[in-house]
Amino acid sequence: SAAAGGEDCLWYVDRNGSWHPGFDCDFFTFCCGTCHQRYCCRDPLRLLTERQQRHCLAFSPKTIAGIASAVVLFIAIVTTIVCCFMCSCCYLYQRRHHLRTPLQ
């Protein structure tokens, strides 16, 4: 779609991991560049749309790595808890079965 100019450059993280705040481009200029370097320019062929900028944020390698490690950690915790309730050598299993037996 054609843009009339005055496009905003959203915040971004450069290749060194430094955070850069978003900024506004003047009228008849566009946000140009890449996911890791943004600037204002007058060439509409170099336009980096807001949708493309958001795509850079959503699918960066750090974001994917963070989500993947959170999922793995969650699965590991759930698996550990389930195993502790089912394995006879675990304290939680022994505690649960000790409470079920009548006192002698």
Side-chain angles (χ1 to χ4, degrees):
S1 64
E7 290 287 321
D8 297 337
C9 285
L10 303 177
W11 67 271
Y12 66 98
V13 177
D14 64 19
R15 293 196 188 280
N16 297 325
S18 298
W19 181 82
H20 297 272
F23 53 92
D24 295 332
C25 294
D26 294 330
F27 196 67
F28 291 118
T29 59
F30 308 96
C31 184
C32 302
T34 65
C35 289
H36 304 290
Q37 180 185 9
R38 298 192 187 147
Y39 54 91
C40 296
C41 71
R42 295 186 186 273
D43 186 0
L45 297 176
R46 293 184 179 174
L47 170 68
L48 190 62
T49 65
E50 200 167 300
R51 182 177 182 181
Q52 290 169 323
Q53 294 178 58
R54 291 187 194 282
H55 183 77
C56 292
L57 299 175
F59 298 105
S60 69
K62 286 184 179 181
T63 304
I64 293 171
I67 292 171
S69 46
V71 168
V72 168
L73 181 63
F74 176 76
I75 291 171
I77 290 171
V78 169
T79 303
T80 302
I81 291 172
V82 169
C83 287
C84 275
F85 278 105
M86 301 184 104
C87 180
S88 62
C89 62
C90 185
Y91 172 77
L92 294 175
Y93 178 87
Q94 293 172 359
R95 176 93 174 156
R96 191 179 82 184
H97 282 281
H98 178 68
L99 292 175
R100 285 185 179 175
T101 60
L103 295 174
Q104 296 179 355

